[in-house]
Amino acid sequence: MGEKLYLTPEDQFPEDLVSVSDNELQVLDSRIQRQLDHEMVVDGESSRETEFRHYELDEEFQDRDKR
């Protein structure tokens, strides 16, 4: 397993989530959630970039549920 279990704000994030498979989207969501948890514990707050990514993932999940 070569990938980190979290995704920092500096790590690459897909520009177009529509092209990401369902499984990859779930993994990406898990990595973002782990990063949010880490930021809250270490920094006491989450970064804007991580929050934005989390929001984008939620939007994509909602869009896919409608299809």
Side-chain angles (χ1 to χ4, degrees):
M1 185 157 138
E3 288 191 35
K4 298 182 292 188
L5 298 177
Y6 54 90
L7 191 72
T8 68
E10 293 79 24
D11 292 330
Q12 287 190 352
F13 187 79
E15 288 186 33
D16 182 18
L17 293 175
V18 173
S19 63
V20 176
S21 73
D22 289 346
N23 286 339
E24 290 172 334
L25 194 69
Q26 290 171 349
V27 169
L28 192 57
D29 184 56
S30 177
R31 292 175 71 197
I32 291 295
Q33 187 59 55
R34 285 180 171 273
Q35 181 64 25
L36 281 171
D37 293 345
H38 174 77
E39 290 171 1
M40 291 303 292
V41 169
V42 173
D43 303 327
E45 63 184 4
S46 57
S47 78
R48 288 181 186 244
E49 182 64 23
T50 304
E51 284 287 339
F52 176 75
R53 291 174 173 188
H54 187 253
Y55 173 80
E56 289 293 307
L57 287 164
D58 283 347
E59 288 290 310
E60 182 61 27
F61 278 121
Q62 288 177 11
D63 288 347
R64 289 183 188 203
D65 282 344
K66 292 176 186 175
R67 291 185 221 152

